[in-house]
Amino acid sequence: IKVGHWDYVVLQGQSYELSLAHPETTVFIYAHNLDTIIRAYNPCSETMYYMTWGRKNGDTASCPTIPYLCTYQSMDSMIRLNYMQMAVVNSDIVSPVGAVRHYIRQYYPSIELYQSDESHPSLAGTYAAACCFYAAIFRKDPGTLTFNPGISSTDALNIRTAAKTVAYDSLHYWHIGQYDSLITARCQAATGITDIKPHANVMLYPNPATDAITIQTENKKQLVQVYNYMGAIVNELEISGSTLLNISTLPKGIYFLHINNGQQQTYKFAKQ
């Protein structure tokens, strides 16, 4: 980490530790300490959490004393919750590998994601993680990938579809893009370079706002979706250049503006 000049630094906890009910006094502290070091030595980078997954049939060894570890569903849900909370606390982003695997288990149950130990990923499970990280890091559609690691073409296609649906189509939900402007400002302050641009040339003002927000972007048609904090779409429109977004009827709170301009950018604004 202290070598510096990383674009992303990925942190991954041990799945059992992240499946416990109260990791705030253990895992969260160490994640925060690492995140602080990452920012100090890599002001232009971003911390990304590798969301892991529940064991195939739960953690049988821990089941007698910790009942919610008895099944995959409950163990996986706790892991997801803790990774998301850790990301919010530290203003970091998530590569939702566990959520992609959950989708695959639900919609493509014939795909074996586990090795025989029912914990570590199979070849298909590793491919699912790779497709998810492709979406999270490059903000590109994994459905367009052609690489196959040696699994059936049908399984590979279904895995790419899952990664697109869960990760790429919902980048805002995993906070990807939410902190672009903060990272740019931090990078400029540390390097003294003032012409660093965020991933997309987009401006929102005023922010916070009461009645309307101006979206200033490129002079080409782009699809904009507005999400509330629960991830529900509350508005959808097509913009070009300078566009006035009416938010007067929205309840007060935090919203996410998702722009599909080939880079899938997400910005946060507050309604007062």
Side-chain angles (χ1 to χ4, degrees):
I1 292 173
K2 291 183 178 181
V3 169
H5 303 294
W6 298 106
D7 296 310
Y8 292 92
V9 179
V10 178
L11 300 181
Q12 174 194 340
Q14 206 277 342
S15 292
Y16 173 77
E17 295 173 334
L18 267 301
S19 67
L20 299 180
H22 298 287
E24 295 89 351
T25 59
T26 54
V27 181
F28 281 25
I29 292 175
Y30 300 115
H32 177 72
N33 290 344
L34 284 170
D35 186 59
T36 300
I37 297 171
I38 290 165
R39 295 188 184 199
Y41 288 88
N42 304 267
C44 302
S45 76
E46 191 158 18
T47 302
M48 177 182 290
Y49 294 105
Y50 181 159
M51 179 192 289
T52 55
W53 51 87
R55 292 177 63 89
K56 186 176 182 178
N57 295 297
D59 190 332
T60 55
S62 303
C63 179
T65 56
I66 311 177
Y68 64 81
L69 295 184
C70 293
T71 67
Y72 158 77
Q73 291 285 353
S74 56
M75 183 178 184
D76 192 69
S77 295
M78 187 63 74
I79 291 171
R80 172 173 172 166
L81 173 65
N82 285 330
Y83 269 108
M84 294 301 288
Q85 287 185 338
M86 198 157 52
V88 169
V89 166
N90 294 300
S91 297
D92 293 326
I93 61 178
V94 177
S95 177
V97 178
V100 171
R101 290 173 60 101
H102 190 105
Y103 185 95
I104 293 170
R105 283 185 57 140
Q106 180 176 356
Y107 293 99
Y108 310 113
S110 64
I111 298 178
E112 179 53 71
L113 297 171
Y114 296 85
Q115 293 185 28
S116 58
D117 66 0
E118 298 190 347
S119 177
H120 292 92
S122 64
L123 183 59
T126 301
Y127 184 58
C131 291
C132 182
F133 270 98
Y134 176 83
I137 291 175
F138 296 105
R139 307 182 188 185
K140 293 183 179 180
D141 181 0
T144 64
L145 298 174
T146 58
F147 173 75
N148 185 327
I151 60 180
S152 76
S153 58
T154 299
D155 285 353
L157 174 60
N158 289 337
I159 288 171
R160 292 194 295 269
T161 299
K164 176 186 183 299
T165 302
V166 175
Y168 178 70
D169 288 349
S170 300
L171 292 175
H172 66 284
Y173 185 83
W174 312 111
H175 307 295
I176 297 170
Q178 182 176 338
Y179 308 113
D180 285 356
S181 59
L182 297 178
I183 295 168
T184 299
R186 190 169 71 215
C187 186
Q188 289 174 340
T191 62
I193 301 173
T194 58
D195 62 349
I196 300 172
K197 295 181 175 59
H199 294 287
N201 186 22
V202 177
M203 294 179 61
L204 300 181
Y205 58 90
N207 187 11
T210 302
D211 298 314
I213 287 181
T214 297
I215 309 171
Q216 184 68 49
T217 185
E218 300 172 354
N219 289 317
K220 64 178 183 179
K221 290 185 179 179
Q222 301 174 81
L223 177 65
V224 168
Q225 294 172 314
V226 179
Y227 294 80
N228 63 21
Y229 203 74
M230 299 301 293
I233 297 177
V234 296
N235 198 351
E236 188 172 34
L237 67 158
E238 199 172 63
I239 67 171
S240 177
S242 181
T243 304
L244 193 65
L245 174 64
N246 183 1
I247 61 171
S248 60
T249 59
L250 295 179
K252 294 180 180 180
I254 301 297
Y255 294 87
F256 300 97
L257 189 78
H258 184 59
I259 300 180
N260 187 352
N261 57 6
Q263 294 181 306
Q264 295 278 0
Q265 300 302 307
T266 303
Y267 298 83
K268 183 170 70 173
F269 69 87
K271 162 66 186 296
Q272 292 184 329

